[in-house]
Amino acid sequence: MTTTLSMFLLILGCALVTWLPRVIPFILVRNIELPKVVLRWLQFIPVCILSSLVFQSLLDAEGKFVSLNLENTVAFVPTLLVAIWTKSLSKTVIVGVLTVALLRNFF
Amino acid sequence: MTTEAKEFKKMRETSAGDSFFQGVKDCIPTLLGYISIGFAFGVVGIASKLSILEIFLLSALVYAGSAQFIFAGLYVAGAPMSVIIITTFIVNLRHFLMSLTVAPYFTRYSALRNVGFGSLLTDETFGVAVTKAGRDKQLGGRWMDGLNLTAYLTWIAACVVGGLVGNWIPNPDRWGLDYALVAMFIALLVLNLANTTKDRLKLSLKLIGYVFAILYILSYFMPGHLAVLLSTIIAATIGVISEK
């Protein structure tokens, strides 16, 4: 249950660089009114960033060619189907985790 | 309208539209994700020679799943401080876009409240908030606090518990807990798409295609987290242009 001063400072440094990008937009938007075109642009961010995060998990950039990560791609199919079918976060998470656990233990 | 009906309407507006408790309730479906990933981080943290106190500090101060995993990985590999801090910054830069997307709903609140909303924003609370905003066209501060604080406290608890039992779990990979994050992104994406009109859905699906193509190409040239950020920015710009 201990830490060192340098470790504490390192954690503080990481805390600062994760805190600033989260907080600055909230302060910025309070003080300047965003142009209409930026607001329209922001409407597309949720779908784009969420799909990008999903696709990133499917890609394997380690080799010479960027390829599909087999395990995650196989797990993607039932997880997506359950998400579409149930529209439930928890059921999707359970099916996703179980599928990956199954793949890792039996294949 | 009778006074009773007015009262009822007012009650509904304040309690269903903006209540702390409703925020807590709307957070519950994501908790399974926080618990799995936080627990997995605690286990990995102990395996990476972090102490329980350090696991607690990371989850309470850095409060970002992917960054914490990368922190543990770099730390155990003996990376210099500057590398760890810069990598953490890049990995979490996407939160800037997420905050920017959510922040316009909260301009009527004080600067201090806004700092609070921003400090506790995560991928998941962002996902839940934009899903609600897509449906209701507005967000309330008390609701956001309820959502954020529930996620925050659950995350810290899950990380610490994972750290406490970490010594008895030799191979956390086998449980597939790390996939909870991806599964949550998939569900949040589907929920967001389910809320849109037909025309908008068509455009969104087209943009998702662009995201994949751009992300694939960018992955040759830059680390994954930067590729995520840049592909999002480019695809959203295509969205604005093609919407006209």
Side-chain angles (χ1 to χ4, degrees):
Chain A
M1 217 19 216
T2 51
T3 189
T4 57
L5 180 65
S6 68
M7 183 59 151
F8 184 65
L9 291 177
L10 177 61
I11 294 175
L12 272 190
C14 289
L16 186 72
V17 297
T18 52
W19 183 66
L20 288 176
R22 283 171 169 162
V23 169
I24 287 171
F26 277 88
I27 300 304
L28 199 78
V29 165
R30 269 190 94 247
N31 295 304
I32 53 163
E33 200 171 332
L34 293 178
K36 274 240 162 61
V37 65
V38 175
L39 289 174
R40 271 178 45 217
W41 183 76
L42 288 175
Q43 286 185 347
F44 293 106
I45 296 295
V47 164
C48 292
I49 203 163
L50 289 170
S51 58
S52 194
L53 286 165
V54 172
F55 290 144
Q56 193 211 5
S57 77
L58 301 183
L59 294 181
D60 205 334
E62 303 272 296
K64 193 168 168 230
F65 295 100
V66 179
S67 58
L68 285 178
N69 174 309
L70 195 65
E71 189 179 83
N72 282 3
T73 308
V74 171
F76 172 70
V77 178
T79 311
L80 177 67
L81 290 178
V82 171
I84 293 173
W85 185 35
T86 65
K87 307 258 187 324
S88 150
L89 282 174
S90 9
K91 283 176 194 147
T92 309
V93 168
I94 291 170
V95 169
V97 167
L98 282 180
T99 312
V100 170
L102 222 71
L103 288 171
R104 284 183 191 162
N105 284 290
F106 295 102
F107 294 97
Chain B
M1 207 186 281
T2 64
T3 24
E4 261 179 4
K6 261 186 207 155
E7 202 129 67
F8 178 71
K9 190 165 169 265
K10 200 177 151 205
M11 210 175 77
R12 233 186 40 188
E13 268 166 8
T14 48
S15 66
D18 183 22
S19 87
F20 185 86
F21 186 65
Q22 187 59 41
V24 173
K25 259 171 76 180
D26 287 347
C27 191
I28 290 172
T30 68
L31 291 186
L32 200 63
Y34 283 107
I35 292 168
S36 327
I37 305 157
F39 184 82
F41 171 73
V43 175
V44 168
I46 287 294
S48 312
K49 310 273 177 271
L50 294 172
S51 71
I52 298 282
L53 176 65
E54 287 158 355
I55 289 172
F56 168 77
L57 287 173
L58 277 167
S59 56
L61 298 177
V62 177
Y63 186 40
S66 41
Q68 286 175 222
F69 276 101
I70 288 167
F71 181 101
L74 287 174
Y75 174 74
V76 77
M81 259 174 131
S82 55
V83 170
I84 297 181
I85 292 179
I86 291 168
T87 310
T88 306
F89 175 67
I90 293 171
V91 167
N92 270 300
L93 207 51
R94 67 176 183 284
H95 286 145
F96 184 87
L97 271 185
M98 294 183 178
S99 280
L100 195 61
T101 308
V102 174
Y105 292 97
F106 295 105
T107 45
R108 62 186 186 279
Y109 294 99
S110 70
L112 194 68
R113 292 283 306 271
N114 271 283
V115 168
F117 301 141
S119 302
L120 295 187
L121 182 122
T122 65
D123 298 329
E124 291 87 346
T125 59
F126 160 81
V128 173
V130 292
T131 306
K132 186 178 167 71
R135 208 176 43 222
D136 303 350
K137 308 290 170 219
Q138 57 161 345
L139 292 172
R142 273 177 290 178
W143 178 84
M144 195 68 192
D145 284 338
L147 175 74
N148 275 340
L149 280 173
T150 311
Y152 184 57
L153 296 176
T154 307
W155 175 252
I156 297 174
C159 289
V160 170
V161 170
L164 288 173
V165 301
N167 285 324
W168 290 279
I169 300 177
N171 192 359
D173 270 7
R174 290 187 53 174
W175 303 79
L177 293 180
D178 50 302
Y179 198 75
L181 189 66
V182 181
M184 192 115 73
F185 290 148
I186 294 172
L188 287 168
L189 176 64
V190 168
L191 281 177
N192 262 281
L193 290 174
N195 272 331
T196 48
T197 60
K198 256 229 165 85
D199 280 351
R200 193 52 186 259
L201 181 66
K202 248 195 205 155
L203 179 56
S204 295
L205 291 175
K206 204 173 91 184
L207 292 183
I208 290 175
Y210 280 122
V211 167
F212 185 76
I214 300 164
L215 183 77
Y216 181 84
I217 296 166
L218 291 180
S219 299
Y220 277 100
F221 307 107
M222 56 184 73
H225 298 283
L226 272 184
V228 165
L229 202 62
L230 211 57
S231 63
T232 302
I233 290 172
I234 297 171
T237 309
I238 296 175
V240 173
I241 294 167
S242 57
E243 196 185 27
K244 279 180 192 165

